[in-house]
Amino acid sequence: MTNAELQLLVEEISIQSFRRPFLHKAYFNPRLRTTGGRYMLGSHDIDINRRYLVEHGMNELIGIIKHELCHYHLHLQGKGYKHGDQEFKELLKKVGGPRHCSSLPGGNTRKRFVIYSCSKCGLQYKRRRKINTKKYVCGRCKGKLRFDKEIVLDDGES
């Protein structure tokens, strides 16, 4: 499916389900990783994650489009467009859109931790990302930090 075909599909769903036209752009955004779609408040455009179409099919894509169109139409009408707003929940239920999209298969279930310790007092620091040990010092005694080890846990073990 191309961006032009996606644009036509979004316009069609907007008319059928919401009885309102979609007057902005809809396109696939390859940078989206953890979400099925995104409504942009400033430009009123809708980004869609192509992987949901590939992995879950057309029904999942239509559900994501309905969800994002709920944000779109409520925002333009000045009504509650956020996930927690009652108007959003009611419109989503009315048009049959999903509250959340399905998860993508093969997601990253590995967790990485980097362990540093202070060379002066021995305090250990557990971090998700590597840090520059020349730039940072121990928060307790201002001693030098040193890299100890990197731990990779599978299946979300802590």
Side-chain angles (χ1 to χ4, degrees):
M1 176 178 272
T2 65
N3 281 333
E5 291 170 329
L6 176 66
Q7 179 74 33
L8 289 174
L9 180 63
V10 172
E11 290 172 3
E12 185 180 303
I13 291 171
S14 182
I15 293 293
Q16 286 175 354
S17 298
F18 297 88
R19 309 268 187 258
R20 294 177 173 277
F22 177 72
L23 305 172
H24 294 84
K25 292 181 188 169
Y27 52 90
F28 289 110
N29 184 345
R31 291 184 312 270
L32 291 180
R33 294 275 180 252
T34 59
T35 184
R38 179 173 63 171
Y39 166 63
M40 308 294 279
L41 290 173
S43 64
H44 307 296
D45 294 343
I46 292 177
D47 299 357
I48 301 291
N49 186 339
R50 185 186 301 271
R51 280 190 62 201
Y52 279 85
L53 172 62
V54 173
E55 301 286 341
H56 292 291
M58 189 58 88
N59 285 339
E60 183 75 17
L61 178 69
I62 290 170
I64 291 168
I65 291 169
K66 285 181 179 180
H67 180 102
E68 299 309 324
L69 283 172
C70 285
H71 290 299
Y72 172 81
H73 289 298
L74 289 170
H75 181 246
L76 291 181
Q77 293 172 40
K79 296 180 179 177
Y81 61 89
K82 296 178 184 174
H83 288 118
D85 294 332
Q86 195 60 39
E87 291 166 314
F88 177 79
K89 291 177 184 177
E90 288 169 2
L91 183 59
L92 198 60
K93 192 173 183 181
K94 181 181 170 188
V95 298
R99 191 98 161 86
H100 306 283
C101 53
S102 305
S103 59
L104 287 171
N108 186 7
T109 58
R110 296 167 26 132
K111 287 191 177 185
R112 184 183 110 176
F113 296 101
V114 185
I115 309 294
Y116 297 92
S117 64
C118 175
S119 57
K120 224 182 203 181
C121 70
L123 182 65
Q124 280 200 334
Y125 293 91
K126 187 174 166 183
R127 296 287 177 263
R128 293 286 177 127
R129 294 182 179 181
K130 289 186 176 182
I131 62 168
N132 182 354
T133 55
K134 290 179 174 65
K135 189 175 178 183
Y136 296 98
V137 296
C138 176
R140 181 192 289 167
C141 71
K142 307 289 188 251
K144 279 189 166 191
L145 294 179
R146 69 170 178 256
F147 172 80
D148 284 345
K149 60 185 170 184
E150 186 172 332
I151 301 172
V152 178
L153 303 174
D154 288 330
D155 299 323
E157 303 165 13
S158 292

